[in-house]
Every structure is written in C-alpha cells, then in structure tokens.
Amino acid sequence: MSADIVVSMVMRAVHMTGMIVASVLFLSLGAAWLARVRSRHMSVETLLVADRALPAPMLFILTVGEIYSIGSIVAFPAGLYAHGVSYGYWFLGYLLLAFPVGYFVGPAIWRRAKQYNACTLPEVFGRHFGSIAFERLTAWACVIALVPWGQFQFIGLRSVLDTMGFSAAPAAGLAGCAVIAFAYVSLGGVRASTYVAFLKDVLMLFGIVAVGVGAICMQYKLSAGHAVITTPTLPLPTGSSLVFAISTIIYQGVGFYFQPSVTPYLFTARSAQAVRRAMVFMPLYMVMYPFAVFATVFALRFLPSLPNPNTVFFHVAATLLPPWIVALAAAGALLAGLLVLAATSLNIAAMMTRNIAPGLGRRHPKRAINLAVILFLVLALVATAHAPAIMLTALNLSGYVGIQFASLWFLILTGWPVSARIAGLGLLSGAGVAIALFASGVSIGGINPGLIGFLVNCGIVFCPLWRSRSDVRVHNKKDLL
C-alpha cells in the first residue's frame, strides 16, 4: 500500500471523527438550550443551584458527572498502565468509601445550605460562623483549590484532541472547548450541565464498555493463536506504597463530598431525601472500571510501550474498534471534560462576585458571573498553553486544600462550638502542613501528606481548649440530622 493511500485513509478517518464529534457537541448545545427553555425564569439561584429543585434522578446524573469525569477514561487507564495495581487500589477504594459517607452526610449538607439560603460554599461558612471575613477567607481557599482543577480539564481535553488527530492547532481546539463551556453556563447554568450529562453518560459508558469488550475478545483470539504475549507487570502494593494507598483511601474517601468541587452539586437537590436516593445508585457507575482495566491489560500484553500513558485508552480503542466508535468515545470524553470545566468556572465566578468582591455583581449579578466565567476560561487556557507542568503540580497542591474543608463541615454538622478564627486556623494549618510535606518530599511512613494535614486540622478545631458556647449559634436536634 502506497504512502499516499495511507495518508488519504488517515485523513478520511480524521474527517469522519471530526464530523461525529462536532455533531455530538452541537447536540449537547441543543440539550443546554432545552434546559434554558424549560426554566421558567433565569435568576441567579437558577443559574447556580437550579432553584434547589432537581429530583433524585437528575441529581444523580449531575453528581456522577463530577465523579466519573474525564479522569475515568484517560487518567484511570493511564495510572494503571504507568503505576500498576497500587494506583487502582486507592482510586477505586476511595470511591467505594466515599459513597456510604455521602449517603449519610449528603442530606445534612443540603439542610445546612437550605437553612442558610446559600448558593455558594463560603456563604454556608460565613453565615454559620457569623463572619464576613471568614466567608471571604474560605472563598479564597475554595478558589485556590478549584482553579487548578478547572485548568486540569483543559489538559485532559487537549489529550483527547491529540488522540483524535487534532494536535496541529491545539490552541484553536481548546479555545473552541472554552466557548462551548461558556455556552453551557450562559444558557442554563447548572441545570444545563444536568441535561448535557445525560448525553455524556451514554457516550462514556458505551465507549468504555465497547473498548473493554473488544479487548477481551481480542485477548482471547490472540492467546489462542500464535501471537507474542508479554506478561503484564502489575506489581502489588507493599510497604510504603500500601500504606500510601490505604491512607489515601481514608483521606479522600472521607473528605470527598466535602470538597469545593463536589459539595455545591448537593445544593441543587429538591430535598434531603432526594440527595439520599441519588447516593444509593452512585456505585452502579463503577461498572465501567473493569472494562477500563481490560483495555489496560490488553495494552500491556499485546501492544508496544507507549511514551505517553495518557493515550493508552484511545490507543487501544483505535487498534481494536472502527473509527466511528472511537469518535463516539472521544466525544463522551470531551463532554466529560467540558461539563466539569463549565461547573468549575461557574463556581469560581459565583464566589468571586458574591463572596470575595460582592460589589462587582450587586447591580447585574448574572452579567458579572458570566464575565468572571470568561475571565477564568481565558486565564486557564493561557496557563494550559504556556505552563502545563506547573499547573500539574498545582493540581496536586489544590487537592491538599480542598479536602481540608471537611473539618469545617464537621464543625457545622456536629454543632461543635468554636470561633471562626480557630476554624480558619485549622483550615490553613492543615493545608500548610500537607503542602509543606509534599513540597519537601518528606515521607512519614508512606502516609498521604493530606491525611497528616487533615489530622492536624481536626486536632486544632476540635481542641477542647477553644470550646465556647458563645462562639456559634445553637441548632436544634432536627437541624443536625
């Protein structure tokens, strides 16, 4: 086969992939517009928390959009490919722990947000402790935790675009992604994300299952034939790596639903019971992970080593499946990244205009939020183009900040009387200890630095020496349930 024919075939495949992905993206914009049409009004509350009116099925779809994001189709196979079973242990382990924790604390979080009429996370903290300064402090901490997470979606989107054959003009592709994410926000806010999430979930499940089934069938054929088989190296965690996996499961599993990237989704529910019903079905989505494992094992056994582990899933997909299925899987991955990017930019914009600088959005709050979304998307796009390595490090650091908010929720949900000053000291101390341990490379028996920082955080805020009944308002028993 001549080189010209090969090039022509590749170009046709790229063109078909582009057409399919573009059609899916236009369909997603139609879903976002449908959310706008079905909203009787578009107030700030509608934009941020969907008027607290989402039933359990819609809350389920919205929340799993955050949990099973672009990392499920890119990062999870890449982690297994590069680091072995130990990565899968803590990745799957913390999700399994997070779901029962969410079942019990999720309804209580919703009641607190409803009680304080809060549309953002810092509003809950500021109104509970009766401190505007504390509200602004927690807003800045939330932004610090969210900015790298939102920007990381651009890195994932760029990886998907590269695997689709659109690496020649990455800036143009990412700019298009930013425009679509802004369209989701401006059309319907968080409710638009819910509608688009239905489409994303169908495509992601279809893509991951199709690749996994293809890998299983091909492994059977090759194993029964005369193909050269490489035994995959998936070392089991031992020693400090096992300690790290267990401590990470505890740390992230307990703190998952208290993160600024997850908690606001719970505010959108119709009732506390809707939150609980949605939590019951969360583990069902984990059915996709065995298929991702099958795809990774196939790559380790039968394919040459890849220089970039982030491409392993789509490399297997392109090897085993027709281009149109690969295109649908890529479209699902793009929607996953776009949804998280849109939700993250909306949360950051809301905190900037409502908590950090409320004067900016006092006259035209929706316009201010949209402008803040645009500003974040532009800055994140520039950071992806010029400093991706720095932002990957910042993503690790932001995780050590995000879960530290669990201590504040523990104080709120238990009614433990402590001042905003002590709560802030615990938050900053926990984040500072975790970041210092991570930056210095000091290992304490292999324990996750975030868990150590979180224990310091809780030790400060729950110290009996600071306890004072006059520090916070008293809640009745019904509020604490």
Side-chain angles (χ1 to χ4, degrees):
M1 187 179 295
S2 66
D4 292 338
I5 296 176
V6 173
V7 171
S8 177
M9 292 175 61
V10 171
M11 292 302 296
R12 282 200 300 269
V14 171
H15 179 72
M16 182 180 67
T17 299
M19 292 294 293
I20 292 175
V21 171
S23 299
V24 171
L25 292 178
F26 277 114
L27 186 60
S28 72
L29 291 173
W33 175 254
L34 180 62
R36 175 65 175 265
V37 171
R38 290 192 173 185
S39 297
R40 290 172 294 182
H41 60 280
M42 187 55 65
S43 64
V44 174
E45 288 73 19
T46 304
L47 196 68
L48 300 180
V49 295
D51 294 321
R52 301 189 210 280
L54 295 186
M58 294 185 72
L59 178 65
F60 168 76
I61 293 296
L62 177 64
T63 308
V64 296
E66 165 65 27
I67 298 174
Y68 303 101
S69 61
I70 197 170
S72 299
I73 200 169
V74 174
F76 178 68
L80 283 178
Y81 188 85
H83 304 294
V85 175
S86 61
Y87 181 88
Y89 273 8
W90 69 258
F91 190 98
L92 299 180
Y94 91 80
L95 285 177
L96 287 172
L97 177 59
F99 295 138
V101 172
Y103 177 83
F104 290 104
V105 305
I109 290 174
W110 180 88
R111 290 190 185 97
R112 280 292 184 268
K114 175 72 172 177
Q115 174 186 343
Y116 293 122
N117 193 30
C119 291
T120 66
L121 203 56
E123 289 173 4
V124 177
F125 300 140
R127 293 168 188 177
H128 176 81
F129 290 98
S131 172
I132 295 178
F134 188 64
E135 178 179 324
R136 290 180 178 174
L137 171 67
T138 54
W140 276 114
C142 286
V143 170
I144 291 172
L146 287 173
V147 165
W149 175 238
Q151 189 271 338
F152 185 70
Q153 305 309 310
F154 273 120
I155 297 177
L157 291 168
R158 181 171 182 172
S159 176
V160 176
L161 290 173
D162 289 345
T163 60
M164 291 167 53
F166 300 112
S167 57
L174 292 179
C177 290
V179 172
I180 295 173
F182 174 73
Y184 294 159
V185 172
S186 60
L187 284 174
V190 69
R191 188 181 292 273
S193 296
T194 306
Y195 279 61
V196 176
F198 280 98
L199 177 61
K200 182 272 298 183
D201 291 337
V202 171
L203 292 175
M204 272 195 65
L205 285 172
F206 170 76
I208 292 178
V209 172
V211 175
V213 171
I216 294 172
C217 295
M218 186 57 68
Q219 285 188 67
Y220 176 77
K221 292 179 181 179
L222 294 176
S223 298
H226 53 77
V228 178
I229 300 174
T230 302
T231 302
T233 56
L234 293 173
L236 297 174
T238 57
S240 60
S241 63
L242 181 60
V243 173
F244 178 83
I246 295 174
S247 61
T248 301
I249 290 172
I250 297 173
Y251 167 64
Q252 294 194 349
V254 172
F256 182 79
Y257 280 99
F258 300 111
Q259 296 181 97
S261 60
V262 179
T263 309
Y265 292 108
L266 303 179
F267 294 2
T268 64
R270 176 180 294 172
S271 64
Q273 191 60 31
V275 176
R276 182 169 283 114
R277 285 198 297 267
M279 292 293 174
V280 171
F281 297 99
M282 292 290 179
L284 292 180
Y285 255 65
M286 296 190 74
V287 70
M288 71 173 67
Y289 287 114
F291 295 98
V293 173
F294 296 146
T296 306
V297 172
F298 176 84
L300 289 168
R301 295 186 69 188
F302 299 104
L303 299 181
S305 298
L306 299 174
N308 182 9
N310 289 330
T311 64
V312 63
F313 179 84
F314 286 104
H315 185 70
V316 173
T319 302
L320 300 176
L321 301 176
W324 68 270
I325 296 182
V326 179
L328 290 176
L334 285 177
L335 288 182
L338 288 171
L339 283 174
V340 176
L341 180 62
T344 303
S345 61
L346 180 60
N347 286 334
I348 291 173
M351 286 184 285
M352 292 297 296
T353 58
R354 291 174 64 91
N355 309 124
I356 295 175
L360 296 177
R362 186 167 289 119
R363 296 185 60 186
H364 303 286
K366 288 190 293 182
R367 184 183 303 173
I369 290 174
N370 286 332
L371 289 175
V373 167
I374 294 173
L375 177 61
F376 165 74
L377 290 173
V378 170
L379 294 177
L381 182 61
V382 172
T384 303
H386 296 285
I390 295 176
M391 293 308 299
L392 285 173
T393 301
L395 178 65
N396 290 324
L397 300 181
S398 73
Y400 296 134
V401 177
I403 294 182
Q404 300 301 324
F405 284 95
S407 68
L408 303 184
W409 280 109
F410 290 166
L411 292 173
I412 293 173
L413 300 181
T414 61
W416 185 269
V418 70
S419 68
R421 183 176 301 176
I422 297 302
L425 176 63
L427 176 69
L428 296 178
S429 299
V433 168
I435 292 173
L437 289 174
F438 172 78
S440 64
V442 175
S443 175
I444 302 179
I447 300 174
N448 189 308
L451 178 59
I452 297 174
F454 183 62
L455 293 176
V456 171
N457 181 355
C458 290
I460 292 174
V461 299
F462 285 102
C463 179
L465 295 177
W466 321 128
R467 187 167 184 169
S468 172
R469 289 290 175 187
S470 61
D471 283 329
V472 295
R473 67 188 68 183
V474 177
H475 302 285
N476 58 46
K477 183 177 180 180
K478 182 179 179 181
D479 289 334
L480 297 177
L481 295 178

